[in-house]
Amino acid sequence: EDALRESEARFRDLATSASDWFWEMDENLRFFYFSDRFAEITGVAEDQLLGKTRQETGIPNVDDEAWRQHMADLESHRPFRDFVHPRTGEDGEILWLSISGTPIFGENGGFRGYRGTGTDITQQKRMEYLLRESEQRFKAIMDHVPAALFLKDTEARYLLINRQFQDWFGVDPKTVLGKNAYDLYPKERADRYHQGDQKILGDWQVTTDEVVIPDPTGEERNFELKKFPIFNAGEPVGFGGVMIDITDRTQADHELRKSENRAEMANRAKSEFLAN
């Protein structure tokens, strides 16, 4: 008896560590038990749910497909894991709960109901929401910056490109992400890009270069390319790049030099004419 009690206590401790509360259903899929912490965590009194089926308990705002799958699992007496649904607490705050259950069968194989666990994953959901919101803001900034931006890993494989990069170079993220220069470009061109990447991969210092890259029509354009290292806990995990189109400026500088050369030649010719 002592061994049995110790075994049961050990089971309860382990189960409690892995979940927030326990629940049970009978053979008619009606709830007949909730452990003490259920009401404490959810703010829902047990007597509001006891004797009711899952449909009768009312769970608003559940994804239709997730709900249909959950109902099909219950009706087919299949085990299920992580049925996630929201529930509004007494203070009006939205709670997110994750439910798992295992069907129970008697010695003769007859269905006797379900036993399961529930966990409050509200904090996890909030963090996921904040992460998505942060990623959306980051993407909005990336896509509206008037420069081509990219991120690469330590193997110089593309991790991310922004909309300007796609437009300027006529590429699809699906065909670029996870690829390196040799996967995407002819060898001679890939060699140039590889050499440029090796500069930052060698010492993880910011680099600035001027590069010539053809646009989708084949016209060569001039870019100022600045690469910067990305660290995580002090260790390099990749690098990013910012590309600014300086074609017009480069052409203007070229025309200015040509004009200055012509003016210098004209002045020299004039001086020689006057000297004679």
Side-chain angles (χ1 to χ4, degrees):
E1 289 179 357
D2 289 342
L4 178 60
R5 283 195 294 271
E6 183 178 349
S7 176
E8 290 177 344
R10 184 183 301 114
F11 170 76
R12 284 195 300 271
D13 290 342
L14 290 173
T16 302
S17 298
S19 59
D20 290 325
W21 71 88
F22 308 111
W23 57 269
E24 291 187 70
M25 282 179 174
D26 63 20
E27 66 275 12
N28 296 312
L29 300 178
R30 296 185 179 278
F31 289 106
F32 72 87
Y33 171 77
F34 288 94
S35 61
D36 294 339
R37 294 200 66 209
F38 174 77
E40 174 189 339
I41 292 170
T42 66
V44 178
E46 296 175 26
D47 56 12
Q48 295 182 30
L49 305 180
L50 294 177
K52 296 181 179 179
T53 64
R54 175 70 77 191
Q55 298 96 314
E56 292 170 340
T57 61
I59 304 175
N61 303 318
V62 179
D63 177 76
D64 289 341
E65 180 57 33
W67 179 255
R68 283 194 294 270
Q69 181 62 53
H70 183 54
M71 290 297 100
D73 287 338
L74 291 177
E75 291 166 6
S76 300
H77 306 158
R78 293 191 294 254
F80 62 89
R81 289 189 60 80
D82 301 325
F83 168 56
V84 176
H85 67 84
R87 186 177 285 279
T88 303
E90 292 182 335
D91 57 1
E93 291 290 326
I94 300 296
L95 300 176
W96 286 92
L97 310 178
S98 176
I99 312 298
S100 298
T102 301
I104 306 302
F105 298 94
E107 293 182 0
N108 61 357
F111 175 67
R112 295 178 55 187
Y114 272 93
R115 292 189 187 122
T117 60
T119 303
D120 180 358
I121 61 169
T122 304
Q123 188 62 28
Q124 174 188 327
K125 280 290 186 178
R126 286 173 180 167
M127 293 302 296
E128 290 174 356
Y129 172 78
L130 292 174
L131 179 59
R132 285 195 302 271
E133 195 174 57
S134 176
E135 289 176 343
Q136 289 169 357
R137 285 197 298 265
F138 174 69
K139 189 175 187 307
I141 293 171
M142 289 276 289
D143 285 342
H144 290 86
V145 170
L149 308 179
F150 63 83
L151 297 178
K152 292 185 178 183
D153 64 16
T154 54
E155 301 296 325
R157 293 175 297 215
Y158 285 99
L159 299 175
L160 180 149
I161 60 175
N162 73 338
R163 186 176 300 166
Q164 192 70 276
F165 190 105
Q166 299 173 46
D167 294 343
W168 279 355
F169 305 121
V171 297
D172 185 335
K174 295 178 181 178
T175 63
V176 170
L177 301 186
K179 306 290 183 61
N180 63 28
Y182 290 101
D183 297 322
L184 300 169
Y185 309 112
K187 184 178 184 307
E188 182 179 351
R189 185 174 165 190
D191 283 341
R192 295 201 307 271
Y193 297 164
H194 176 73
Q195 290 172 5
D197 288 342
Q198 291 308 302
K199 291 170 61 177
I200 189 168
L201 290 172
D203 56 17
W204 297 105
Q205 298 295 317
V206 174
T207 65
T208 302
D209 295 294
E210 288 192 15
V211 296
V212 178
I213 300 176
D215 65 16
T217 68
E219 179 184 353
E220 292 190 337
R221 301 192 67 81
N222 300 81
F223 296 91
E224 180 180 273
L225 170 56
K226 177 169 287 189
K227 295 177 183 175
F228 53 91
I230 300 172
F231 296 95
N232 182 21
E235 293 296 321
V237 294
F239 63 94
V242 180
M243 305 176 69
I244 300 174
D245 191 334
I246 59 171
T247 304
D248 293 342
R249 187 181 77 191
T250 301
Q251 291 176 347
D253 290 343
H254 180 67
E255 292 299 325
L256 178 60
R257 285 194 297 272
K258 287 173 59 177
S259 177
E260 289 174 344
N261 289 337
R262 286 195 297 268
E264 184 179 348
M265 291 175 62
N267 288 333
R268 186 181 302 118
K270 181 179 178 182
S271 297
E272 291 176 355
F273 174 78
L274 294 175
N276 294 328

